[in-house]
Amino acid sequence: MMTEKPKNPSKDGYPASSSFMLDIAPLVLTSIILMVQFFVFKDFTPHIPLACGILITALFMKMRGRGWGGMEERFLKVIKIGLPAMIILMGVGMLIGAWIIAGTVPTILYYGFGIFSPSSFLVSVCVICAIISVATGTSWGTVGTVGLAMMGIGLGLGIPAHFVGGAIVSGAFFGDKMSPLSDTTNLTPAAAGVDLWEHIRGLLPTTVPAMLTALALYAWIGAGYSADSADLSSIKAIQDSLASNYNLSIITLLPAVVVVAAAVMKMPAIPTVLSGVVVAAVIAVVMQGVGIHDVFNVLQNGFKSETGFDVVDQLLSKGGVMSMTWVITLTIFALAFIGSLEHYGTLKAIMAKLDKIIKTRFGLVLSSYGSVLGVGTIIGDVYTTCVLPGRLLQGKYKEMGYKRTTLTRSIEDCGTLLSPLIPWNMGGSFVAATLGIATLTYAPFAFACWLSPLFGLLWLTLDKFIPRETPSTEAEINEESSVVVS
């Protein structure tokens, strides 16, 4: 069992007590505050509710005669686990800005729109949104820019909004899940102690077949709509705006090639991202005529596009270290809150309950699915959804001899991909408000999102793509945990 009393609880954390409700009370109360913030105040910034959660946990610690010092030490150690991901995110902010001024993102957009086919509108929408989301690392940004434009085009073609919305969400969140530039893709493996590239490779068995199946379904649905006489002037206008403001060529794609090549060679994430920044900065100076000081400013503050074309300007006005402060500060609050719960004993109390049902790989993976869906449904915050289950279950995976890539894949499948399908989740609320269609209207047609966890269940049943490793003893797990957070 993972709930034995540690030798020094005030330093190493407290075990589960005889009162389960008292053990989980800080988590329950914080969840209520988060729901009030999201659904009463209509404010999807969870930072302050999570800060309140830390204070609530501290009050319960005081009430039970426990000191603050040990809890603070613990959550600072847990925050330290996320530091590599935070550094990567700062690098990603620089990378996005550098890719924009170098012409890399504009080139990807230009040729991405070039594959647009009126006769296969839904397939084209899904692929274009996926390409843009992978290139920028943001599903929300893709939905709010290209996705919004595609909604207008689709309605003009007479294609129902729920089909178009489903294709947009499938493509955008597929890209977010698979992009090394994505915040959730960096945060999820960091919380569970998994290498970024190993995590991304572990996503392929569910993500790729889900996307291919989704594209086949969109092709089948789209065959019933004639769009050969479609007015694609808006697509042409976007391409013309990109071509007139950037020197587009195969050379501007070099930064992306460098990042992909570095990933294939299994280079660490931080030098991979920074190499892409350096190459893009050189191309920006040489090919786009950007001054060195302007490059520095973009890397710090991001790029402000002023083409005069709203869709293009929204797409390209992003990047920079400062653009990542919202995510990084949220990551700090989320990790601090989880660390506080760890020290208080909440996670041990939950794990003690799960230990009773986790006896096989089915129990292990289904518990992963259930914990992710539970956090995503109850709390509604995708970042806490990415962190809490990883911290909760990583020890159990090591104990039973299964690689934690299955855990991080489950978190992404049920967290990142299902977040836009839950009406009260941050993802679902954002998409519905941005595209102007109800979450439950487009959700059945966001095929790639809900097919991915189903493929995970298929591989679980067939015992495929569930990699194993040598089981760890409880002592080894505790030793590794102490090394990780020290």
Side-chain angles (χ1 to χ4, degrees):
M1 293 289 291
M2 298 289 294
T3 57
E4 294 181 4
K5 186 173 181 179
K7 295 180 180 179
N8 186 359
S10 64
K11 179 180 179 181
D12 301 325
Y14 291 85
S17 71
S18 58
S19 174
F20 179 71
M21 292 307 299
L22 188 58
D23 286 341
I24 67 169
L27 177 60
V28 173
L29 293 175
T30 305
S31 299
I32 293 172
I33 296 174
L34 280 165
M35 287 188 282
V36 170
Q37 173 82 333
F38 293 161
F39 312 125
V40 177
F41 300 151
K42 305 296 182 182
D43 186 343
F44 296 98
T45 51
H47 301 61
I48 303 307
L50 290 173
C52 291
I54 298 170
L55 294 176
I56 290 171
T57 308
L59 289 175
F60 273 88
M61 289 279 293
K62 184 68 174 178
M63 182 178 70
R64 302 178 77 172
R66 303 170 181 177
W68 165 268
M71 190 184 85
E72 179 181 323
E73 182 180 353
R74 183 66 183 183
F75 72 61
L76 289 176
K77 288 178 178 179
V78 174
I79 290 173
K80 184 178 177 182
I81 297 173
L83 281 179
M86 295 180 217
I87 293 172
I88 291 171
L89 288 172
M90 287 189 282
V92 166
M94 291 190 289
L95 187 67
I96 293 172
W99 278 20
I100 291 173
I101 59 175
T104 304
V105 172
T107 301
I108 293 172
L109 294 177
Y110 182 88
Y111 290 107
F113 283 118
I115 68 173
F116 190 88
S117 171
S119 60
S120 56
F121 177 77
L122 294 177
V123 172
S124 298
V125 167
C126 186
V127 171
I128 289 170
C129 287
I131 291 172
I132 294 171
S133 190
V134 169
T136 61
T138 167
S139 54
W140 287 24
T142 301
V143 170
T145 53
V146 174
L148 197 57
M150 292 299 175
M151 282 296 296
I153 296 172
L155 293 176
L157 299 176
I159 301 176
H162 50 268
F163 288 150
V164 182
I168 292 168
V169 170
S170 284
F173 283 82
F174 162 86
D176 192 317
K177 178 185 176 186
M178 294 302 298
S179 175
L181 310 184
S182 167
D183 46 12
T184 55
T185 306
N186 280 276
L187 182 58
T188 300
V194 175
D195 174 73
L196 172 62
W197 301 118
E198 188 178 4
H199 165 64
I200 291 176
R201 288 192 295 273
L203 299 175
L204 297 176
T206 58
T207 308
V208 171
M211 190 60 167
L212 293 176
T213 305
L215 292 175
L217 289 170
Y218 291 134
W220 175 67
I221 294 172
Y225 296 90
S226 175
D228 292 330
S229 59
D231 179 10
L232 302 181
S233 58
S234 57
I235 296 290
K236 184 66 166 57
I238 293 174
Q239 287 183 300
D240 289 344
S241 178
L242 292 169
S244 63
N245 285 276
Y246 293 90
N247 293 318
L248 306 178
S249 74
I250 192 171
I251 297 177
T252 55
L253 292 175
L254 186 58
V257 173
V258 168
V259 171
V260 172
V264 171
M265 293 187 295
K266 300 182 180 180
M267 282 182 58
I270 293 175
T272 294
V273 170
L274 294 180
S275 64
V277 172
V278 172
V279 174
V282 172
I283 292 176
V285 173
V286 174
M287 287 197 62
Q288 309 296 345
V290 180
I292 294 177
H293 181 258
D294 291 332
V295 171
F296 287 177
N297 183 60
V298 168
L299 296 183
Q300 173 70 19
N301 300 306
F303 180 68
K304 176 68 174 177
S305 177
E306 297 178 344
T307 66
F309 198 92
D310 287 343
V311 173
V312 174
D313 289 339
Q314 290 178 35
L315 269 173
L316 300 182
S317 294
K318 51 173 56 76
V321 172
M322 300 307 295
S323 70
M324 293 295 171
T325 54
W326 191 94
V327 173
I328 291 172
T329 52
L330 177 54
T331 300
I332 292 172
F333 279 121
L335 290 174
F337 176 56
I338 301 304
S340 301
L341 294 180
E342 282 187 2
H343 187 77
Y344 176 72
T346 299
L347 300 194
K348 293 185 180 72
I350 297 173
M351 200 63 231
K353 298 290 186 182
L354 292 177
D355 267 338
K356 298 177 181 178
I357 62 174
I358 300 178
K359 303 299 181 184
T360 65
R361 72 173 189 275
F362 285 96
L364 184 62
V365 175
L366 291 177
S367 294
S368 304
Y369 274 43
S371 61
V372 176
L373 287 171
V375 176
T377 302
I378 296 172
I379 296 181
D381 167 29
V382 69
Y383 296 96
T384 308
T385 304
C386 290
V387 174
L388 199 155
R391 298 294 298 165
L392 177 67
L393 290 166
Q394 60 171 321
K396 195 66 180 178
Y397 272 80
K398 289 184 283 187
E399 177 189 325
M400 295 182 66
Y402 289 94
K403 286 191 173 183
R404 285 164 287 172
T405 51
T406 302
L407 170 60
T408 58
R409 183 177 70 207
S410 300
I411 293 172
E412 292 268 31
D413 284 346
C414 296
T416 303
L417 290 185
L418 295 188
S419 68
L421 310 187
I422 302 172
W424 54 88
N425 190 282
M426 291 173 64
S429 300
F430 172 82
V431 173
T434 301
L435 298 184
I437 50 177
T439 305
L440 296 181
T441 301
Y442 68 75
F445 306 101
F447 300 120
C449 293
W450 55 261
L451 280 172
S452 194
L454 292 184
F455 272 104
L457 294 177
L458 174 63
W459 302 141
L460 172 64
T461 303
L462 298 176
D463 195 15
K464 300 290 185 182
F465 306 112
I466 312 289
R468 292 172 169 79
E469 61 185 2
T470 303
S472 300
T473 64
E474 181 176 351
E476 289 171 336
I477 293 171
N478 290 335
E479 182 180 359
E480 181 179 338
S481 297
S482 64
V483 171
V484 168
V485 298
S486 61

